[in-house]
Amino acid sequence: MVSTLTTREACVQADAADALASFRERFSLPQGIIYLDGNSLGALPKAAGERARDVIDREWGTDLIASWNTNDWFDLPVRIGAKLAKLLGGETGACVATDTTSINVFKALGAALEIQRERHPERRVIVSERENFPTDLYMVEGMIEFLDRGYELRLIDDSLTAEQAIGDDTAVVLLTQVNYRSGRQWNVNELTALAHERGALIIWDLCHSAGAVPIALDEARADFAVGCTYKYLNGGPGSPAFIWVAERHVSRARQPLSGWWGHKSPFEMAVSFEPVDGARRFLTGTQPIISLATMEVGLDIALEVDEQALREKSLALTSLFIELVESRIAGDALTLITPREASERGSHVSFVHAEGFSVMKALIARGVIGDYREPGVLRFGVTPLYLGYADIWDAVEALRLVLETEEWKAPEFQVRGAVT
Ligand SMILES: *Cc1c(COP(=O)(O)O)cnc(C)c1O
């Protein structure tokens, strides 16, 4: 995709012609900053404050415990899950909004391994990728140790392709559609087909793709999917994640965290567990109602957006970012690690710089908020709902100044906090 935006004025004009520009008004962002971290914590939808006040003051404060029925608290994770399934092109499957992505990886993996124990009892390999977001790998490690049945984790990396890694010994494949560091994107349809061809089940982690790239879980014939809602879905800090299960697996899928919220009749207080039919069986315990309610506001905005238009703008902005860095920033201090090929990238752009941490700190001090990931990676999340072309121009201009003036060398930009 070749961009014709070579001046700031041209960027301003592109913003004026942008059909998605009006979504910017739906978000509350501080004046004077350019927020390029929506892939880590999405911005605050203006309507979320009012929804939070209502759920706190009226539903909790006034209606109290009756709200489980009268304000539909009991069904909230399932009702929101159905909206997520729609967004993810997985309407035939079962989906609930609940827990964290880490926990949902564990639940999906447990359910998938159990299905495979019936089908292919001898298979003991779980395939993932070395570059995966670490918590996904940690959860697999935890599951392997806990089960103590001789499972092993095999990682796709530079020396082992997916084609080589997924074999007739593979029970389950766990991949993340868009890589958190590089922004590289797997082809969900192709990898799902490959896993199935080899007799494996596949779990897709959609953390960096839900709300950012078009997803079609039903069409891909995915088995399970998980992901978070506080990134591109603007659900708020720690908002509940989701777990999606293909219709063909729902009735036999047993997740390991068999708590009372997944029970057939939770209020019968029966001694033993019997899973309820449908999506609800992927719940475990009492749900965070306030977080669910405020998260739904961001999700509703995402459901209003035409996903092809969103994808086109996302690619136009990420392409522009790459082109401007390469044409306006002298020297070779920055190395692009995001694929140039549009179809291979998600909605963020990453560059490596030897002093990436300090460069990002200096950039943030100039009001351009991206983030830093080891090793040396400057990561810029591009959220088409509240960013425009001129924002990209201004962000690259600030980056140029940080590098040309070497202001990142200042002592205050060398100190690390607990969260980077
Ligand atoms: C952000 C992210 C997570 C986060 O997991 P939590 O349990 O919500 O903290 C997990 N996996 C991937 C791929 C991510 O990008």
Side-chain angles (χ1 to χ4, degrees):
M1 190 179 296
V2 178
S3 165
T4 51
L5 305 177
T6 52
T7 63
R8 188 174 194 283
E9 183 51 35
C11 292
V12 171
Q13 279 169 14
D15 284 333
D18 171 16
L20 298 179
S22 62
F23 281 99
R24 170 72 182 78
E25 285 308 304
R26 311 280 288 278
F27 294 91
S28 169
L29 283 158
Q31 283 293 318
I33 64 141
I34 299 175
Y35 193 60
L36 299 172
D37 219 350
N39 56 333
S40 197
L41 175 64
L44 168 67
K46 284 180 183 163
E50 196 185 317
R51 181 71 187 101
R53 273 188 297 281
D54 188 52
V55 72
I56 290 173
D57 294 343
R58 181 180 61 82
E59 298 187 8
W60 178 16
T62 306
D63 298 352
L64 286 162
I65 198 162
S67 284
W68 288 109
N69 294 314
T70 59
N71 290 309
D72 211 23
W73 285 358
F74 190 67
D75 275 328
L76 203 53
V78 179
R79 193 169 60 71
I80 295 177
K83 289 187 180 185
L84 280 157
K86 182 162 188 265
L87 183 84
L88 305 172
E91 274 175 293
T92 70
C95 187
V96 278
T98 187
D99 296 329
T100 65
T101 299
S102 305
I103 294 172
N104 288 336
V105 164
F106 192 84
K107 293 192 294 192
L109 184 60
L113 289 174
E114 204 197 281
I115 292 172
Q116 289 291 65
R117 275 206 296 277
E118 257 174 52
R119 291 200 202 167
H120 300 290
E122 72 297 345
R123 295 187 178 212
R124 283 292 175 276
V125 173
I126 299 166
V127 170
S128 192
E129 51 184 326
R130 194 172 299 279
E131 290 290 316
N132 206 342
F133 192 90
T135 200
D136 294 41
L137 303 181
Y138 303 160
M139 296 312 290
V140 177
E141 283 179 358
M143 175 65 86
I144 288 174
E145 252 176 65
F146 177 74
L147 287 178
D148 195 20
R149 283 202 177 118
Y151 284 101
E152 63 173 279
L153 175 58
R154 180 183 295 154
L155 298 176
I156 295 165
D157 61 16
D158 290 344
S159 57
L160 191 72
T161 64
E163 184 76 32
Q164 294 162 338
I166 306 170
D168 57 13
D169 55 1
T170 305
V172 176
V173 179
L174 167 64
L175 292 176
T176 296
Q177 184 184 5
V178 175
N179 184 269
Y180 77 103
R181 204 193 269 123
S182 67
R184 192 208 61 225
Q185 183 175 178
W186 286 110
N187 183 316
V188 172
N189 290 9
E190 280 176 26
L191 268 293
T192 303
L194 175 67
H196 290 171
E197 199 184 291
R198 309 268 155 100
L201 294 180
I202 192 160
I203 304 168
W204 282 104
D205 185 328
L206 306 176
C207 276
H208 279 274
S209 37
V213 301
I215 298 168
L217 290 174
D218 281 337
E219 183 201 304
R221 291 193 54 76
D223 297 295
F224 292 83
V226 298
C228 60
T229 61
Y230 53 79
K231 293 174 182 169
Y232 290 97
L233 292 175
N234 307 302
S239 60
F242 59 83
I243 176 168
W244 177 94
V245 183
E247 190 196 9
R248 62 189 176 280
H249 299 310
V250 178
S251 61
R252 59 199 298 210
R254 295 282 300 245
Q255 58 105 343
L257 303 180
S258 46
W260 73 311
W261 272 57
H263 195 282
K264 204 171 165 184
S265 37
F267 290 93
E268 269 179 23
M269 303 297 176
V271 173
S272 54
F273 183 78
E274 247 194 277
V276 64
D277 290 338
R280 185 172 280 280
R281 63 172 53 197
F282 300 99
L283 299 179
T284 295
T286 309
Q287 303 298 307
I289 298 300
I290 299 170
S291 293
L292 279 166
T294 47
M295 177 265 271
E296 190 178 13
V297 176
L299 175 60
D300 283 342
I301 296 174
L303 283 163
E304 281 178 44
V305 185
D306 176 78
E307 67 176 12
Q308 291 309 331
L310 185 85
R311 176 66 173 158
E312 276 168 31
K313 183 175 172 189
S314 158
L315 288 178
L317 292 176
T318 50
S319 297
L320 179 65
F321 200 110
I322 295 169
E323 283 163 26
L324 290 177
V325 165
E326 295 186 338
S327 62
R328 295 185 56 78
I329 299 182
D332 53 7
L334 295 172
T335 307
L336 178 70
I337 59 165
T338 302
R340 277 172 208 282
E341 171 56 42
S343 64
E344 289 173 16
R345 68 175 180 259
S347 199
H348 69 270
V349 181
S350 301
F351 293 88
V352 171
H353 185 284
E355 298 295 336
F357 175 80
S358 304
V359 171
M360 184 51 77
K361 289 276 271 193
L363 192 60
I364 291 170
R366 280 187 170 268
V368 176
I369 304 178
D371 66 18
Y372 174 76
R373 286 291 177 269
E374 291 292 345
V377 178
L378 303 168
R379 204 170 62 147
F380 301 98
V382 172
T383 48
L385 293 188
Y386 48 84
L387 285 169
Y389 298 88
D391 292 323
I392 300 299
W393 180 278
D394 293 342
V396 174
E397 203 51 19
L399 180 58
R400 186 178 71 79
L401 290 170
V402 163
L403 293 173
E404 278 181 13
T405 61
E406 299 194 326
E407 65 195 29
W408 56 269
K409 289 186 173 167
E412 70 264 34
F413 300 137
Q414 319 303 318
V415 189
R416 299 194 180 212
V419 176
T420 56

